[in-house]
Amino acid sequence: MEISYSILPKLFCYKYATILTMDIHGLKVFASVFKNKSFTKAAEEIHLSQPTISDHIKALEEELDCKLFDRLGRTVIPTKEAEALYSLAEEIIEKATNVKDIIGQLKKELKGELTIGASTIPGTYLMPSLMAAFQKKYPSVSFQIFISDSKEIAEKVLKHELLLGVIGMKLSNEQIHHIPFIEDELIAVASPHSIKTSIMTLRDFIKFPMVLREEGSGTRRELERILENRGITLEDVKIAGIFGSTDAVKQAVKAGLGTSILSEYAVIDELKHNILKEIKLSDIQMGRKFYFITHKKRTLPFLYNTFLQHIKAIKTDSKNI
Amino acid sequence: MEISYSILPKLFCYKYATILTMDIHGLKVFASVFKNKSFTKAAEEIHLSQPTISDHIKALEEELDCKLFDRLGRTVIPTKEAEALYSLAEEIIEKATNVKDIIGQLKKELKGELTIGASTIPGTYLMPSLMAAFQKKYPSVSFQIFISDSKEIAEKVLKHELLLGVIGMKLSNEQIHHIPFIEDELIAVASPHSIKTSIMTLRDFIKFPMVLREEGSGTRRELERILENRGITLEDVKIAGIFGSTDAVKQAVKAGLGTSILSEYAVIDELKHNILKEIKLSDIQMGRKFYFITHKKRTLPFLYNTFLQHIKAIKTDSKNI
DNA sequence: AAGTCAAATAGATAATTTCTATAATAAATC
DNA sequence: GATTTATTATAGAAATTATCTATTTGACTT
């Protein structure tokens, strides 16, 4: 393997050292002369002057070092070499003509895989239904959702490992483009058995031991921000446990390990079935936003842009309802 | 069919009206940037300056109306469109690079069909052994010998229906290139039973009725030329019959219809077996030459030139023996 | 031999390619 | 956070190339 590695650059060098004057335009001129058996007719067809055609053929003849046409006064007759060149030239011209079409089509193509990095809440509770709706509209689209915490998603977007992310916080990085997505309400929850009161102040609530997400989490960060606004730090809070997933936190709260403050999307089912109990905080509203994030320097494939427009449309629709 | 005929010119028009600026050089620049993930490295590889690379990429981006690379400071990342373009570009570059090789190889190719127009004598009595020798040397060569009279062979060469001919006379046409081939002796023959003497003068010989070839024939023309030199026209000769082939003339002579003057190559076997008898003409030597003929304006494929050189070599060899 | 048709040549102009030098920008380092 | 470094973009100039028109050359036709 090491040998082939060291030889490779030389091969490239060789390949590019070969001066290839031949261009597609010249081949088109040749093909036209070949088909018309006339320089003048080719000139009319390609809308160039006859001397220009002569020039092109001369250049090709010099480059290939062989006569391509026998000029016999009224007609020209292609040589054996010209016959061979014609089929090759047609292939090249066709391929080159296709390029524009293929790229043009690609620019409008609504199929392929949409890879999105998502933090826990959007990845687990929001993306699935979005994916379903989008895929219904564009059946040839498949999704790959990479779930991690907000910090890692942001890093991957910055390192160009991901083109698109959804996270629960706004970043200060100038390179990141934020597209507001959806509002989320953070809700204080406890086990139904552990706390009887269903309304209290934030300061009262944090007297109970709490179960939290780990540090990179958007939910955790949002919580810290809210407490900080009230002059409270996490050091004032009695932490009963830290878990790496929202589900684990929910299990811990259910088991009575402590209270928590979680996304409404994460606990909507548990509240409905009385597995968890909402503690209304009388003095605070804990809203936060989710954002789609992209790197400002990256060009998004059409499919990704369409997806983002779809999201924007949904947002507008739901606002109007 | 008429419909497709009338539509055809429009299609050509459309095809060539599409302005296709894209050239192979530009694609090579693109491919290098794509592989190196760098404009600067591509510049080194192709031995162009970095701004030139920038220009080429810009031109391609404008023509295809899409961004090809996201420029991110230290690296560039190809877009989805660039990925697609790369595979297409490599195909085109490879084909274009092949052209030179393929044409180059064709120029030295010693295979294929060698079509030669030959008049009766060379086509029947000289070409077969030549063909055999040449094919032994170059086994991938096949022959097609078109036999007709000298006049028609010459016409076909002039009308570009044949690239190469062998005939028994020199033409006055300026367009024809003559390559001397082999000497032939015309021999006066008769049926062994009809004439007892085996030597006489030309004037005595033409007192006997003669059997001749048709007018276009080289042998006939040669005979006329010889007679003319002696102040004799064909009107002085009693013509017993005119036949369209040398074989027919021979049969007629054998049958005692008359005498004839024929190529030594045509009667060599008959003389050996005493089917025909040579009448030595004491006062004349009737030599003539055969020539390979080509049109001066036509380019001969390499195979044809090789064949002619082979012929020339044989001539030199046989002279030296 | 004159007329006609087709390609080649010459000379001029416009377009393009490419260069060097420099600016702008982003990442890495201190 | 300022500085250095690496990379692409821009500007302006020079060289090359593509193209044109007008004319010449060459060959077939009459």
Side-chain angles (χ1 to χ4, degrees), chain B residues 251-306:
Chain B
Q251 294 304 327
V253 175
K254 281 180 216 168
L257 185 64
T259 66
S260 192
I261 289 178
L262 288 170
S263 160
E264 60 174 327
Y265 295 112
V267 295
I268 195 159
D269 284 340
E270 281 82 358
L271 295 179
K272 203 188 285 171
H273 297 101
N274 280 322
I275 300 166
L276 287 176
K277 179 185 180 180
E278 177 178 358
I279 311 293
K280 293 225 157 85
L281 301 182
S282 56
D283 58 343
I284 197 167
Q285 184 82 10
M286 294 184 294
R288 69 154 167 175
K289 272 189 176 172
F290 288 106
Y291 298 89
F292 277 94
I293 56 166
T294 60
H295 194 291
K296 276 186 181 164
K297 292 286 173 69
R298 295 303 302 278
T299 306
L300 290 186
F302 185 61
L303 178 56
Y304 283 68
N305 281 318
T306 308

Side-chain angles (χ1 to χ4, degrees), chain A residues 16 22 45 64-65 67 70 72 77 80-81 85 91 95-96 99 103 107 160 297-299 301, chain B residues 16 22 45 64-65 67 70 72 77 80-81 85 91 95-96 99 103 107 160 297-299 301:
Chain A
Y16 284 105
M22 175 167 35
E45 183 172 282
L64 297 174
D65 189 30
K67 217 173 178 196
D70 286 329
L72 312 147
I77 299 184
K80 201 176 164 66
E81 283 77 18
L85 179 60
E91 281 181 47
K95 270 200 192 303
V99 166
I103 299 289
K107 282 191 297 189
H160 309 295
K297 291 286 172 67
R298 295 305 301 279
T299 307
Chain B
Y16 284 104
M22 179 166 33
E45 183 170 283
L64 298 174
D65 189 29
K67 218 175 179 193
D70 286 329
L72 312 147
I77 299 184
K80 200 176 166 66
E81 283 77 17
L85 178 60
E91 279 181 50
K95 271 200 191 304
V99 166
I103 300 289
K107 281 190 298 189
H160 309 294
K297 292 286 173 69
R298 295 303 302 278
T299 306

Side-chain angles (χ1 to χ4, degrees), chain B residues 39-40 50-51 54 71 73-74 175 297:
Chain B
F39 286 49
T40 306
Q50 168 266 312
S54 290
R71 286 79 155 169
R74 295 280 146 131
Q175 303 285 16
K297 292 286 173 69

Side-chain angles (χ1 to χ4, degrees), chain B residues 187-205:
Chain B
I187 291 175
V189 288
S191 155
H193 317 295
S194 61
I195 301 178
K196 299 296 161 203
T197 346
S198 66
I199 186 158
M200 61 180 73
T201 62
L202 177 63
R203 290 212 169 260
D204 285 338
F205 180 72

Side-chain angles (χ1 to χ4, degrees), chain B residues 149-165:
Chain B
D149 57 39
S150 296
K151 199 174 145 196
E152 198 178 340
I153 298 300
E155 265 170 20
K156 282 194 188 290
V157 170
L158 279 166
K159 283 199 283 178
H160 309 294
E161 288 167 25
L162 279 170
L163 279 175
L164 185 60

Side-chain angles (χ1 to χ4, degrees), chain A residues 42-54:
Chain A
E44 282 161 19
E45 183 172 282
I46 322 187
H47 304 296
L48 287 173
S49 72
Q50 170 267 311
T52 304
I53 306 293
S54 290

Side-chain angles (χ1 to χ4, degrees), chain A residues 12-178:
Chain A
F12 283 161
C13 244
Y14 167 75
K15 190 168 180 182
Y16 284 105
T18 308
I19 300 135
L20 198 113
T21 314
M22 175 167 35
D23 63 351
I24 292 162
H25 184 210
L27 291 179
K28 289 211 295 190
V29 169
F30 163 78
S32 179
V33 172
F34 187 92
K35 278 187 290 190
N36 289 299
K37 305 270 175 280
S38 155
F39 286 49
T40 306
K41 291 210 187 79
E44 282 161 19
E45 183 172 282
I46 322 187
H47 304 296
L48 287 173
S49 72
Q50 170 267 311
T52 304
I53 306 293
S54 290
D55 264 3
H56 278 290
I57 298 301
K58 198 176 163 193
L60 253 183
E61 287 183 330
E62 273 163 18
E63 180 169 8
L64 297 174
D65 189 30
C66 67
K67 217 173 178 196
L68 291 171
F69 296 101
D70 286 329
R71 285 79 156 173
L72 312 147
R74 295 280 147 130
T75 42
V76 290
I77 299 184
T79 63
K80 201 176 164 66
E81 283 77 18
E83 303 270 357
L85 179 60
Y86 178 66
S87 59
L88 296 167
E90 283 288 81
E91 281 181 47
I92 292 173
I93 292 165
E94 197 193 321
K95 270 200 192 303
T97 312
N98 281 347
V99 166
K100 258 184 148 168
D101 299 342
I102 290 171
I103 299 289
Q105 210 180 313
L106 185 70
K107 282 191 297 189
K108 308 181 225 160
E109 204 168 67
L110 285 168
K111 59 185 177 187
E113 198 171 72
L114 202 48
T115 303
I116 304 174
S119 63
T120 316
I121 300 301
T124 313
Y125 303 103
L126 303 175
M127 292 308 296
S129 59
L130 271 180
M131 278 157 55
F134 193 73
Q135 199 171 50
K136 200 170 171 187
K137 201 164 167 189
Y138 306 110
S140 306
V141 176
S142 68
F143 283 87
Q144 169 137 7
I145 306 295
F146 172 79
I147 297 180
S148 186
D149 58 42
S150 295
K151 201 173 141 195
E152 199 179 338
I153 298 301
E155 265 169 22
K156 280 193 187 295
V157 170
L158 279 167
K159 284 198 286 181
H160 309 295
E161 288 167 24
L162 278 170
L163 280 175
L164 185 59
V166 215
I167 56 174
M169 59 198 197
K170 210 163 182 173
L171 303 169
S172 52
N173 195 308
E174 262 299 302
Q175 304 286 17
I176 294 293
H177 183 220
H178 295 81

